[in-house]
Amino acid sequence: MAVSLDIPPPPPLSRVKLLEGQGNALYAAGRYSEALTRFEECLALQPNRPEVWTLHGFCLTALKRFEDSLHSFDRAVALDSDCALAWHGKGHALGKLSRFEDATLHLQEALRINPADSKAWYNLGTAQNQLRQYDPAIVSFGQSLKLNPNDHRARYNQGVALCGLHRYEEALDTLRQALALKPTAHYIWNQCGTALIQLGRYAEARAAFDTSLRHHADNPNAWYGKARAYAMAGDLEQTLQSLYRTFVLSPYVYKVMVQIDAHFDGLRDDPQFQKLID
């Protein structure tokens, strides 16, 4: 004889948990404004949730409301001083506000609590690069790569730091490792070209910039790099052509740069050069 089992239904999700789950799903889908609304509704019901304040802050950061996000991360840390993700989030937002010294302090605290956060190591290295603290930046990117060895951005930025220390051969090796992971990244090819110019390998530099342009045509940095390489090789005609293409894409920034760029000093007195840059 069959036995009838009355299995009670599972308890309904609380309103707070439901809102938090919806917010997480919307955030993961890139629907940050809608996610923010869910987290705000959640916090209106339970304001003492550090993890929700942290997610609230990340939504604001994704919406480029960096100043507003600082308040959210502060609320999270006030509720839980060991909330590593809140320290990380605030450090990231401070970096977006170009407050790089403050950013490094917050990211270091995040990593003290959770040293296995590869993104925090990456963001720390990025802030250190901005402060020209290249040796610590190399270490930070190295730690990030130990945790996430396939991150081409960390390899690239480590190469940028090595260039900052004038260690161009090492930089090229690192940048080539980045290209092995992401061969279509035009900005990595640009950085390779820049390092090759510093090594006096002008033909190779031009080839790197040409590859960059194949991957991203509207790329003034590559045209400017080509102009530098041609100028260092003493080729006036090709320098002028490359600078012209640069100015078509981005006239204001590069016309200021070229006025003080020592790569062009050998051609600076030429009337054609003066006519183009004036």
Side-chain angles (χ1 to χ4, degrees):
M1 176 174 150
V3 178
S4 175
L5 297 176
D6 291 328
I7 301 174
L13 284 174
S14 72
R15 177 70 174 159
V16 169
K17 283 292 185 183
L18 182 63
L19 289 166
E20 184 180 353
Q22 289 174 344
N24 281 326
L26 288 163
Y27 182 89
R31 295 162 61 179
Y32 303 119
S33 293
E34 295 169 81
L36 184 66
T37 299
R38 298 300 193 282
F39 292 135
E40 286 173 346
E41 292 177 29
C42 183
L43 290 166
L45 295 169
Q46 283 190 4
N48 296 326
R49 299 282 302 282
E51 68 278 12
V52 180
W53 278 113
T54 300
L55 294 166
H56 187 268
F58 274 106
C59 281
L60 290 167
T61 300
L63 293 167
K64 302 188 186 303
R65 293 170 55 184
F66 303 119
E67 287 285 359
D68 292 337
S69 76
L70 300 181
H71 170 73
S72 299
F73 294 125
D74 283 341
R75 289 292 299 269
V77 169
L79 292 164
D80 179 6
S81 60
D82 286 332
C83 184
L85 196 57
W87 286 102
H88 180 178
K90 186 175 180 182
H92 178 60
L94 287 164
K96 291 294 185 181
L97 291 166
S98 299
R99 293 168 55 183
F100 299 114
E101 290 185 359
D102 289 338
T104 58
L105 293 174
H106 284 76
L107 290 162
Q108 285 166 345
E109 180 62 15
L111 288 162
R112 182 192 67 78
I113 300 165
N114 179 19
D117 185 347
S118 65
K119 289 184 179 178
W121 282 112
Y122 173 84
N123 287 328
L124 176 59
T126 301
Q128 289 165 330
N129 262 359
Q130 292 293 331
L131 292 168
R132 300 188 178 184
Q133 297 174 359
Y134 297 123
D135 282 311
I138 290 167
V139 173
S140 296
F141 291 124
Q143 291 293 332
S144 180
L145 286 162
K146 284 181 183 177
L147 296 162
N148 185 10
N150 293 323
D151 185 355
H152 69 278
R153 299 173 309 154
R155 291 274 179 210
Y156 160 71
N157 281 291
Q158 195 175 53
V160 171
L162 287 162
C163 284
L165 293 170
H166 309 294
R167 292 159 57 181
Y168 298 113
E169 290 286 3
E170 293 174 75
L172 275 176
D173 288 341
T174 301
L175 292 166
R176 285 170 181 148
Q177 291 175 54
L179 285 169
L181 296 167
K182 187 75 171 179
T184 60
H186 69 280
Y187 52 89
I188 304 178
W189 285 106
N190 283 344
Q191 192 65 35
C192 284
T194 299
L196 287 161
I197 287 174
Q198 297 304 317
L199 291 168
R201 293 156 60 178
Y202 304 125
E204 292 175 72
R206 293 194 299 271
F209 292 124
D210 283 336
T211 304
S212 176
L213 287 163
R214 283 198 294 274
H215 294 304
H216 182 51
D218 294 336
N219 181 355
N221 200 31
W223 283 110
Y224 188 74
K226 284 186 71 173
R228 280 174 156 180
Y230 279 124
M232 293 301 292
D235 189 330
L236 174 64
E237 181 180 354
Q238 291 295 332
T239 299
L240 296 177
Q241 288 183 17
S242 297
L243 279 177
Y244 175 78
R245 296 294 297 270
T246 305
F247 297 156
V248 167
L249 293 168
S250 181
Y252 303 109
V253 172
Y254 289 95
K255 280 204 170 186
V256 172
M257 287 175 60
V258 75
Q259 299 286 346
I260 57 173
D261 191 333
H263 292 87
F264 299 102
D265 285 353
L267 305 177
R268 199 169 296 282
D269 294 332
D270 188 280
Q272 294 181 76
F273 184 85
Q274 284 296 324
K275 182 179 179 180
L276 179 64
I277 68 172
D278 285 343

